[in-house]
Every structure is written in structure tokens, then in C-alpha cells.
Amino acid sequence: MEHDSRPNVLIVDDELGPRESLGMILKPSFNIFTSEDGREALQVIKNKNIDVVTLDLKMPVMPGEEVLKQIKDYDPTIEVVIITGYGTLKSAVEAIKYNVFDYILKPFNVSDILSTVKRCLERREMSFRVKAFLTEIEKESKSPLKMYKHISHFLNKLDEFYHPAKSEGYLEFVKVLTSTLETNDTYTKGHSERVNYYATLIAEGLGLSQVDTRDLQTSAYLHDIGKVGISVNNGSLDENELTEMRKHPLKGVKMVSPLKLPHEVIGGIKYHHERMDGEGYPEGLKGDQIPLFARIIAIADCYDAITVGRPNKAAMSKNEALLELKRNADSQFDKELLDIFAKALRKK
Ligand SMILES: [Fe+2]
């Protein structure tokens, strides 16, 4: 049989109609597989090298959400596009949890589908290139300082890896970058993804525009990038390590400077450890002096830290964590934002 080098796309839908029409649209550009239910789909994914899955949410046998979770557990680099009828979506924010690439509403439009699947594949390819590059530099980065220098250098030469369309910005890229950096560290694994999720909940509650939300997400993903090259994480820190650790917001800002990100994004990275009472770092800003993104990320960051736990600290439940944050409202956190966050979380 002739080898087909085109990307493999799996269409999962319990109804024949959508399966066939999606197949017709995608067939000229991709190698198509189809499944009628989730169990069969997972089988195909394990046997074929699937690049992209289009997934119907409403299916018997196994609900789409469950299929999605299992696909991402099996291989997080497989891109998933959700195909859904209008109004079946609880909240777009939920998709962030599983890193869904995009949604397509039924009845679908040919050019939407083609362009979405193509963008999907671009992200997948970028993700492989970034990963290969980071693995390479990790091998030769014997010291954390070297790692820091390599990443900084990498960000400087980013245009060799990634050409973001102006309107798209860097969100896709920073997702891949931070998740790759976190892969080898069980302690921070998924941290920026979750901080992004919690920050987005607050953005929704505030009614931020799409552009502002995207900038906030970029900032949330990058907030701890300055920790690259600081080797700690083993429980408590001594004086020197603490001083070193507290440099990470400024180091992060320096690292991402070649990206020329909007100043709101930079503000989120630089000031996410400031406190409302002025006792934070790096500048000891107070109250409204602290940029909005930084106040949002501070809440999301802290909530994640205490619900995930630390080597020397047990994880707290959702309610315990919210109480803990409330105790520190006004001294550490913006009370209004905290209320919005608590409300959004309780709805989940
Ligand atoms: Fe931080």
C-alpha cells in the first residue's frame, strides 16, 4: 500500500451525516479516519498516528468530555477540535482545562473547518520543534544558569521557530513553551496551565474583552518563566535561595523582552508577587498601583499553590483554600477580584 504522508485526522461523531460531510471537506488535504463512538476512537488513536481529532460532544457510549480527557491523557500533543451544536457548551473556559484547540459550531462552514484544522497542525508542528529544541539545550545545559542563558537566547531567535500572525500574538507559543519547561518538574507540572484557567475565570467574571483576556492568558502562562535557572523546589529555602528566588519576576521580564509583549502582559509577570499592603516584591507597590493582571495572577497563583500542595505542606480543599485566601484579602489580595473568583469557582 502506498504510504500517505499527509496528516492523519480522526473524525468522531455518532451520526453518519456529520461524519460524511466533515470527511468530504477534509479528504482533499488530509488522511481521514472515522469513528462512531469514543471507545472505537481511542482504539484508532492507539493504533494510528493521529494528529488531529474532530470530536462531537453529544454521543452515546462515552460522552465527548470523557473521550477528550482520555485522548489528552494518552497523548497531550494530539490536537482536538470540538464540534458542537449551539448552546451545548457550558463554558468555553472548561475547554482550557483540557487544552482544546478550538470549537466549531454545527451546522459547519467549509472554510472554518479547513482553516481550524490547518492551524491545529501548525500548533502541533511548532510544539514538536520547540520541544526538540528545549530537549537539545537541556542536554547541554549542565547548570541552571546555562539553561537560563539558553532560553533567553532561544527567545531572542524565536523567529526561526515561530511566526505568529500579528493578531494571534504569542499565546499558542507560550503555552507550548511553558508546558515543555514544566514537563520535568512534578512540583510545578501544569502550574501555568491552571493559573491560566483560574485567571480566565476572573477575566470572565470581569467581562474583559477578548483581546484583554488573551493578553492576560499570555501573562498567566509566562508569570514564572523567570524561575528557569533557579534551582530550588526542595522544601524550605535558606536566606540566599530566597533572595535568588525573589528575583524571578524581574528575570522573567528580562527573558521575554525580545517578544515585545504589550506592557499589560509584562506588568502581570513583573508584579505578580506584590501585595495590596505594599509588603510584596519587587517594588512594594500598594493597592491600585499594582496592575490589574498582576492582581489577578496573584490570586490564581496562590490558589493553585495551596490546592496542589507543597513538599512540606498538604493540599487544601477548594473551600479551605478560598477561606485561606479570604483571610488574606486586603493585606495580600484585591478583595473585589477575590469575590469574583470565589463566585466563579463555586459555580464549577
Ligand atoms: Fe511567581
Side-chain angles (χ1 to χ4, degrees), residues 224 248 272-273 301:
D224 271 346
H248 80 268
H272 73 275
H273 284 289
D301 188 19

Side-chain angles (χ1 to χ4, degrees), residues 93 96 195-205 213 216-217 296 300:
V93 142
I96 289 175
V195 169
N196 168 53
Y197 171 69
Y198 299 133
T200 308
L201 285 179
I202 299 175
E204 267 201 335
T213 303
L216 172 66
Q217 291 171 330
I296 295 174

Side-chain angles (χ1 to χ4, degrees), residues 47-67:
N47 294 323
K48 308 283 172 190
N49 224 340
I50 297 296
D51 299 292
V52 177
V53 178
T54 73
L55 182 65
D56 180 23
L57 279 188
K58 265 169 87 187
M59 291 187 300
V61 186
M62 196 191 275
E65 286 91 350
E66 181 58 27
V67 185

Side-chain angles (χ1 to χ4, degrees), residues 21-294:
S21 47
L22 276 172
M24 294 247 285
I25 296 168
L26 296 171
K27 219 174 177 171
S29 318
F30 310 105
N31 201 12
I32 302 298
F33 298 83
T34 56
S35 300
E36 300 179 20
D37 66 64
R39 233 170 268 168
E40 199 186 288
L42 289 162
Q43 221 42 54
V44 176
I45 284 168
K46 282 169 192 168
N47 294 323
K48 308 283 172 190
N49 224 340
I50 297 296
D51 299 292
V52 177
V53 178
T54 73
L55 182 65
D56 180 23
L57 279 188
K58 265 169 87 187
M59 291 187 300
V61 186
M62 196 191 275
E65 286 91 350
E66 181 58 27
V67 185
L68 170 62
K69 195 178 163 294
Q70 293 202 26
I71 293 173
K72 291 291 184 180
D73 280 348
Y74 174 72
D75 179 357
T77 69
I78 295 176
E79 297 291 357
V80 179
V81 177
I82 299 286
I83 309 278
T84 178
Y86 186 71
T88 55
L89 212 60
K90 275 183 219 125
S91 157
V93 142
E94 286 304 299
I96 289 175
K97 263 191 193 165
Y98 297 114
N99 203 6
V100 163
F101 186 78
D102 207 352
Y103 287 87
I104 288 173
L105 290 178
K106 281 181 184 172
F108 30 71
N109 155 318
V110 178
S111 65
D112 268 4
I113 288 179
L114 273 176
S115 76
T116 304
V117 174
K118 279 183 183 152
R119 279 190 296 121
C120 245
L121 285 157
E122 275 167 26
R123 171 160 97 171
R124 190 168 152 82
E125 201 203 317
M126 169 182 65
S127 137
F128 286 138
R129 294 174 71 179
V130 170
K131 272 180 194 160
F133 182 81
L134 290 179
T135 314
E136 207 44 51
I137 59 177
E138 247 191 330
K139 261 193 256 160
E140 44 168 307
S141 304
K142 297 279 181 291
S143 72
L145 184 65
K146 260 195 158 166
M147 182 77 177
Y148 169 78
K149 281 192 177 146
H150 277 305
I151 302 275
S152 297
H153 181 70
F154 168 63
L155 291 174
N156 248 313
K157 308 202 93 192
L158 189 64
D159 51 355
E160 290 171 21
F161 291 85
Y162 181 47
H163 311 270
K166 273 217 165 66
S167 59
E168 290 281 319
Y170 279 108
L171 187 53
E172 289 312 322
F173 168 74
V174 301
K175 273 187 199 179
V176 171
L177 175 68
T178 50
S179 71
T180 310
L181 289 172
E182 286 172 358
T183 325
N184 301 329
D185 187 345
T186 46
Y187 164 81
T188 53
K189 200 163 189 261
H191 175 65
S192 33
E193 185 76 51
R194 291 186 303 267
V195 169
N196 168 53
Y197 171 69
Y198 299 133
T200 308
L201 285 179
I202 299 175
E204 267 201 335
L206 280 173
L208 289 192
S209 72
Q210 216 181 338
V211 173
D212 288 343
T213 303
R214 201 189 54 213
D215 283 347
L216 172 66
Q217 291 171 330
T218 306
S219 194
Y221 271 105
L222 290 171
H223 76 282
D224 271 346
I225 186 94
K227 282 189 182 171
V228 168
I230 301 179
S231 62
V232 270
N233 292 348
N234 314 315
S236 55
L237 308 178
D238 66 28
E239 193 91 3
N240 287 339
E241 286 174 323
L242 197 65
T243 311
E244 208 37 50
M245 187 51 129
R246 289 186 156 199
K247 290 182 186 160
H248 80 268
L250 290 174
K251 274 188 150 178
V253 169
K254 208 172 147 203
M255 283 173 90
V256 302
S257 64
L259 304 185
K260 304 208 171 23
L261 295 162
H263 79 272
E264 288 84 357
V265 177
I266 299 293
I269 301 170
K270 190 170 177 182
Y271 298 117
H272 73 275
H273 284 289
E274 298 289 0
R275 299 166 46 105
M276 294 302 275
D277 59 10
E279 298 295 311
Y281 60 92
E283 289 180 14
L285 299 185
K286 246 185 194 166
D288 284 350
Q289 291 178 325
I290 307 167
L292 176 67
F293 285 5

